[in-house]
Amino acid sequence: MRKFLSLLTMCLLAVTAIHAETFVMADQTGLPSTNGDFSLTFGTYTMNCLGNNGATKPTYNSNGKDVRLYAKNTAQFTTTGNAMTQIVFTISTAGQKRLAEITASTGSVSIDATAWTVTWTGSATDVTFTVGDYATYGTDGATKAGQLDFTQVDINTGAVAETVAAPAITPAAGTYYAPINVSINCGTQGASIYYTTNGATPTASSTLYSAPFEVSTATTVKAIAIKGDLQSEVAEAAYEFGTATEVANIAAYQGVADDTKVKFTNPVTVIAQYNKRLFVQDNTGNMFIYGETGQTYKNGDVIPAGFTGTKVTYNGEPELSVYNTDNFQAGTEGTAVTAETIQAIDVEADLFGHLVYIPGATLAYTTSSSGAKSLSSITDNSGTAVANNSMGITASTIDYEATYNVTAVIGSYKAKDAETVTYEVWPVTLEKVGGTTPDPTDGVATIAEYLALADNATFTFTGNAVVTYVDGNDKRYLYIKDNTGSAMIYGTDIATGFSQGDVLASGWTGTKTNYNGLYEITAAANLSTTGTTQTVTPVEYTTANITAENQNVYCVLRGVKLASVSGRNFTFEDGTVGYNTFNGTVTLPSDLTQSYDIEGVISVHSNNAQFAPTRFLTEVTIPKVADIAELLTKNSGVNYEIEADITAIYQNGSYLYVQDANGTQTLVYGYLNNTFENGDIISGAQASWSTYQDAPQLIPVGSTFVKASTGTAVQPTVYAIEDLGTDMVHNYVKLEGVTLVNDSTNYATATDETGSITIFNKFSNNVTMAQDGTCDITGFLSLYKGNLQLYPVEFGTEETPAFPEGDVTGDNKVDVADVNAVINIILKTKTTEDYPGNADIDGDGKVDVADVNAIINIILKI
């Protein structure tokens, strides 16, 4: 009986030691309806939500009944009672789209993107959570700003059982129309991920996840996470692939039926973009695109062909609806779209999607029940048009007593059950008339005046500025300052001829450009120096100073540590983001235990500040690998020095094919400062590697690929087509005597007696495709959508020497020597392979006395 009571007492103690409190956000009072810092108390617990350096401050969303913390926001939990051992956030439905990596000041954080919970475990009376920059676990993708949106908080005291979060598989399951890269994350620190692609339930014996992988056919991906003896639930994503209807231009797209998946076979030019809203045009019309493209574009960027989406009708107009990037690629710089000058009265359906300019206008707003302003109309001498701040112009910052020159796109709105569509002015930029905005035609004397200009304003700089940093690699960045601020001049080779400390002479011109929240001076002309220099000292900053307000400032950080490095991306210990913009000049460290002094400039990407290092004052060592084969066994995205010499085989722009001393051949892809010929020896090269189309390729580190000497040219290996395999991608090969049939300008099919292969003229800029017929082909194997292709670099026609009939010896004459040659073949002292000419003179398929007689007849001219 005593033992029973003792056991009962222990059980009661265990139960009473665990105390749990649940707090539903919709039940709390004192939550703000507008963005700002706030504090909330429930029981013995207090939650302080702070905006810090984030672009958006915390808020309470009364529609979703959730507290919303944005990138860089923090939530501090304190208690006057027992130590907290577990805090669980329940993520709202909307919050699942942009769930970020969440870090804590103590303890550990586990993120379950299947149950959509964020769980902290530890033991503390004070813990602070920080929201990461990007939507690592969200369905919107990691290019979007991160959030933590929660409807409920559960706080436990006492012992809690450790669990492993189920992995998050992105992109989401669904139907796609081009190959996708699948990523798998687990919110439990230290857990390993195992996955399958055949529908089988994964185990610890399945494939260990290390990097994103491509999926191009119907596939079910399943994954588990394992930490020690603990295993997560199985996560699953099923992918299907469909065929999109190809359209050549915007006019053709507008003609297809709603709900048709389309693929553009020609490029389009960007007019304007804000968040999910994107306006484009081609020579057939204008188009509105809505959704997650995964890219940030500016006016004039050209979006390459190949992007897809679903044609729908929304608000009375055709709309290309996209989801999860839909094959949108980064834009290339093109010609900026010029706005059409109109009056407010001209805003009608035929201008939908157009970029317009309305000078001398005033703006009006409406106010919501919470006091928030919304842009409502625009008025000029002709009349009034409906306006909307859908393109990011903040209504609360407008001076409604002032006059503006308005650059805008024309959008549309159709109220529910309404019969008519309203066409609206969506401002992109506002230029205040007669206010504090400088008139660029008068010139600007300081950087502060330049920063006050309207976007896209062209100006003459009448003051002097000093160069703070010169991009030493590809020369596209030139940073300057004066006593009023800092700026950056951007353009091809713009930094050539300048050095740190140079004083720029006045009188140069440029255009103020807003690129993803980063102010750049583009189209700069007449740049020169005064011939004088100044000493430039970087500003002493901490990571807390890395904000958009300090963009382009040349600064130094002292005694900082890096928390992670992945390729050119890195983070500091406090979560501040960095990007190695000057990859050709700067090598990021691999030792994350060391503190560093780092000089750099503050940049902005997608409106988020980031640090771009220009020099590590503390010595940075880079690890070494013996050869290319060893490099490919290391984690992708990490830089290494290759000890073995590398021999260049072929280079075409950013493509460089190489071979190391052990015969491993691969592709080096990226910006290279130097050009190479076959046989050039490269020593001390530094590179990381990544996967493209299921094949590894090296990513060069800056200017470390330098010719050291000239060696022996690499010769291609001759193969039959059936001997080519996917394990030979990037190998230098030769096909002899194949039959070539051209399928189009840059595509052909090569066939020999063992099989066939697609020939894609990747380097058509200096390689001309051979015509149909028999030829030799030298080139490099590639992989596209799982299929082998050959990129040709040389075509050779197979020819038989044109010797005279009867000239067996190949000396271009028929005489006794040819008779002797045929006799040697008959007597088998020689073979036909020993002579270049044809010994079967009579063409009967054999060499005999008849061929001797035939040669004699030729000699005698019978």
Side-chain angles (χ1 to χ4, degrees):
M1 183 65 179
R2 183 176 298 171
K3 290 183 178 179
F4 172 76
L5 291 174
S6 177
L7 180 60
L8 177 62
T9 301
M10 292 175 63
C11 291
L12 289 173
L13 287 172
V15 171
T16 56
I18 301 173
H19 181 71
E21 295 283 357
T22 297
F23 304 99
V24 179
M25 295 301 101
D27 297 338
Q28 309 307 313
T29 58
L31 288 166
S33 58
T34 57
N35 298 89
D37 299 341
F38 65 89
S39 180
L40 185 67
T41 299
F42 23 79
T44 62
Y45 304 99
T46 299
M47 178 177 71
N48 293 309
C49 295
L50 303 177
N52 296 321
N53 294 317
T56 308
K57 289 183 177 292
T59 190
Y60 174 70
N61 177 36
S62 58
N63 293 325
K65 308 298 183 186
D66 57 358
V67 168
R68 297 192 168 183
L69 302 179
Y70 301 90
K72 291 186 172 64
N73 290 178
T74 60
Q76 179 189 29
F77 285 78
T78 59
T79 181
T80 57
N82 294 330
M84 299 172 287
T85 56
Q86 184 184 67
I87 301 175
V88 181
F89 299 89
T90 300
I91 308 305
S92 66
T93 301
Q96 294 170 11
K97 294 182 178 181
R98 294 196 178 182
L99 179 58
E101 193 76 60
I102 309 298
T103 56
S105 58
T106 185
S108 61
V109 176
S110 175
I111 298 176
D112 190 331
T114 300
W116 292 108
T117 57
V118 175
T119 302
W120 171 83
T121 55
S123 179
T125 58
D126 186 335
V127 59
T128 298
F129 299 92
T130 301
V131 181
D133 282 338
Y134 300 108
T136 308
Y137 298 93
T139 56
D140 271 5
T143 58
K144 294 300 177 181
Q147 292 181 200
L148 172 62
D149 304 350
F150 54 94
T151 57
Q152 178 176 308
V153 177
D154 293 272
I155 303 178
N156 296 328
T157 58
V160 293
E162 185 181 4
T163 60
V164 179
I169 305 174
T170 54
T175 300
Y176 294 84
Y177 293 82
I180 56 175
N181 283 323
V182 176
S183 299
I184 311 176
N185 292 301
C186 178
T188 301
Q189 187 175 5
S192 298
I193 301 172
Y194 298 87
Y195 71 97
T196 61
T197 56
N198 59 2
T201 300
T203 68
S205 299
S206 301
T207 302
L208 175 65
Y209 177 80
S210 60
F213 54 92
E214 185 180 273
V215 171
S216 58
T217 59
T219 302
T220 296
V221 177
K222 293 184 177 182
I224 58 170
I226 296 176
K227 182 178 181 181
D229 295 330
L230 300 176
Q231 178 175 311
S232 73
E233 298 293 327
V234 177
E236 179 178 337
Y239 303 106
E240 298 291 337
F241 288 85
T243 302
T245 299
E246 292 189 346
V247 292
N249 49 45
I250 291 174
Y253 141 80
Q254 291 172 338
V256 303
D258 276 5
D259 300 321
T260 301
K261 189 77 174 187
V262 298
K263 176 181 180 180
F264 275 73
T265 59
N266 284 321
V268 295
T269 300
V270 173
I271 297 172
Q273 181 185 28
Y274 177 72
N275 288 342
K276 294 182 180 182
R277 300 177 180 90
L278 174 62
F279 289 86
V280 301
Q281 69 177 34
D282 64 13
N283 58 6
T284 71
N286 295 56
M287 179 170 68
F288 177 51
I289 300 172
Y290 184 82
E292 302 294 347
T293 65
Q295 304 290 340
T296 301
Y297 303 109
K298 66 180 187 299
N299 184 320
D301 281 352
V302 177
I303 303 176
F307 62 91
T308 59
T310 303
K311 191 254 183 169
V312 299
T313 298
Y314 186 73
N315 283 335
E317 290 287 346
E319 174 183 300
L320 186 69
S321 176
V322 302
Y323 173 71
N324 199 49
T325 75
D326 271 1
N327 314 308
F328 280 78
Q329 303 300 314
T332 58
E333 190 166 350
T335 303
V337 177
T338 303
E340 309 167 38
T341 301
I342 66 166
Q343 295 179 300
I345 198 173
D346 297 327
V347 177
E348 293 181 351
D350 59 351
L351 286 177
F352 176 76
H354 287 232
L355 186 68
V356 300
Y357 178 72
I358 305 176
T362 58
L363 304 169
Y365 64 92
T366 57
T367 306
S368 69
S369 58
S370 65
K373 292 180 179 179
S374 295
L375 190 61
S376 61
S377 65
I378 177 172
T379 301
D380 64 6
N381 292 333
S382 71
T384 299
V386 176
N388 191 295
N389 52 338
S390 294
M391 295 301 287
I393 295 294
T394 305
S396 61
T397 64
I398 297 172
D399 180 357
Y400 292 94
E401 301 298 322
T403 300
Y404 289 93
N405 295 329
V406 181
T407 301
V409 288
I410 303 302
S412 66
Y413 175 73
K414 184 175 183 292
K416 186 178 181 181
D417 300 326
E419 295 183 359
T420 59
V421 177
T422 300
Y423 290 89
E424 304 177 329
V425 177
W426 294 359
V428 176
T429 61
L430 299 176
E431 180 186 3
K432 198 171 185 179
V433 178
T436 58
T437 303
D439 183 349
T441 61
D442 295 335
V444 293
T446 66
I447 290 177
E449 289 184 10
Y450 146 74
L451 290 172
L453 292 173
D455 290 353
N456 302 313
T458 298
F459 63 92
T460 299
F461 198 83
T462 60
N464 292 121
V466 61
V467 174
T468 57
Y469 179 71
V470 175
D471 174 17
N473 184 33
D474 61 8
K475 308 293 185 182
R476 290 182 297 166
Y477 304 89
L478 183 66
Y479 291 85
I480 62 174
K481 73 170 185 177
D482 64 10
N483 59 4
T484 70
S486 298
M488 185 262 285
I489 305 174
Y490 178 85
T492 303
D493 293 327
I494 200 70
T496 300
F498 293 98
S499 300
Q500 186 181 70
D502 282 346
V503 177
L504 298 183
S506 63
W508 54 273
T509 59
T511 300
K512 181 188 179 186
T513 304
N514 184 339
Y515 183 70
N516 296 333
L518 175 67
Y519 285 104
E520 305 173 342
I521 298 170
T522 58
N526 304 317
L527 285 169
S528 64
T529 73
T530 62
T532 59
T533 60
Q534 293 182 11
T535 301
V536 175
T537 303
V539 180
E540 296 276 346
Y541 269 175
T542 68
T543 54
N545 299 115
I546 300 174
T547 64
E549 290 74 19
N550 290 327
Q551 61 179 274
N552 297 320
V553 172
Y554 176 57
C555 58
V556 61
L557 308 178
R558 304 286 185 185
V560 292
K561 286 186 177 181
L562 276 57
S564 65
V565 176
S566 178
R568 296 172 72 169
N569 298 287
F570 64 95
T571 58
F572 294 99
E573 279 191 317
D574 65 353
T576 303
V577 174
Y579 181 72
N580 193 7
T581 302
F582 312 109
N583 185 49
T585 304
V586 178
T587 296
L588 296 178
S590 57
D591 184 356
L592 305 185
T593 65
Q594 184 178 354
S595 296
Y596 296 93
D597 293 346
I598 317 173
E599 290 180 358
V601 293
I602 297 173
S603 185
V604 174
H605 179 69
S606 297
N607 297 306
N608 294 311
Q610 59 187 20
F611 183 75
T614 59
R615 182 167 63 129
F616 278 76
L617 302 177
T618 310
E619 182 179 358
V620 174
T621 58
I622 184 169
K624 296 183 179 182
V625 291
D627 51 25
I628 293 173
E630 184 180 356
L631 173 60
L632 296 178
T633 66
K634 304 297 184 180
N635 289 335
S636 64
V638 180
N639 293 333
Y640 290 87
E641 180 178 335
I642 303 169
E643 293 185 300
D645 285 345
I646 294 173
T647 302
I649 305 175
Y650 175 81
Q651 182 180 9
N652 193 296
S654 56
Y655 287 76
L656 172 64
Y657 292 90
V658 299
Q659 174 178 295
D660 67 13
N662 296 319
T664 301
Q665 296 181 349
T666 192
L667 168 66
V668 179
Y669 178 78
Y671 183 85
L672 294 163
N673 300 74
N674 303 297
T675 56
F676 302 94
E677 301 290 339
N678 192 344
D680 286 349
I681 304 297
I682 302 168
S683 298
Q686 297 178 7
S688 62
W689 70 273
S690 64
T691 300
Y692 180 74
Q693 292 285 351
D694 287 334
Q697 60 186 23
L698 304 192
I699 308 300
V701 175
S703 55
T704 61
F705 277 70
V706 179
K707 178 181 176 180
S709 60
T710 301
T712 303
V714 178
Q715 300 301 317
T717 303
V718 178
Y719 288 100
I721 294 176
E722 69 173 356
D723 295 328
L724 304 177
T726 56
D727 59 336
M728 299 165 61
V729 172
H730 305 320
N731 278 17
Y732 188 37
V733 303
K734 184 176 183 180
L735 308 178
E736 293 186 336
V738 296
T739 300
L740 188 71
V741 177
N742 292 120
D743 301 323
S744 63
T745 303
N746 286 319
Y747 281 93
T749 300
T751 306
D752 66 11
E753 60 185 10
T754 70
S756 61
I757 188 172
T758 297
I759 307 298
F760 173 53
N761 196 12
K762 176 72 175 180
F763 309 119
S764 58
N765 57 326
N766 59 10
V767 177
T768 301
M769 182 82 81
Q771 299 303 305
D772 294 355
T774 302
C775 63
D776 298 340
I777 309 175
T778 301
F780 295 90
L781 287 177
S782 182
L783 199 62
Y784 180 68
K785 295 184 178 181
N787 298 314
L788 273 177
Q789 293 184 343
L790 185 68
Y791 294 167
V793 297
E794 184 179 359
F795 290 92
T797 303
E798 185 180 53
E799 298 178 348
T800 301
F803 300 125
E805 183 181 8
D807 180 15
V808 181
T809 61
D811 59 359
N812 288 314
K813 56 186 178 180
V814 182
D815 54 19
V816 175
D818 301 296
V819 175
N820 292 334
V822 174
I823 293 173
N824 289 336
I825 294 171
I826 295 171
L827 297 176
K828 298 183 178 180
T829 59
K830 298 282 188 180
T831 69
T832 55
E833 300 295 325
D834 294 320
Y835 298 99
N838 179 25
D840 182 15
I841 310 303
D842 59 6
D844 63 356
K846 56 186 177 180
V847 179
D848 54 17
V849 174
D851 299 298
V852 175
N853 292 334
I855 293 175
I856 293 173
N857 289 337
I858 293 171
I859 295 172
L860 298 177
K861 299 180 180 180
I862 297 176

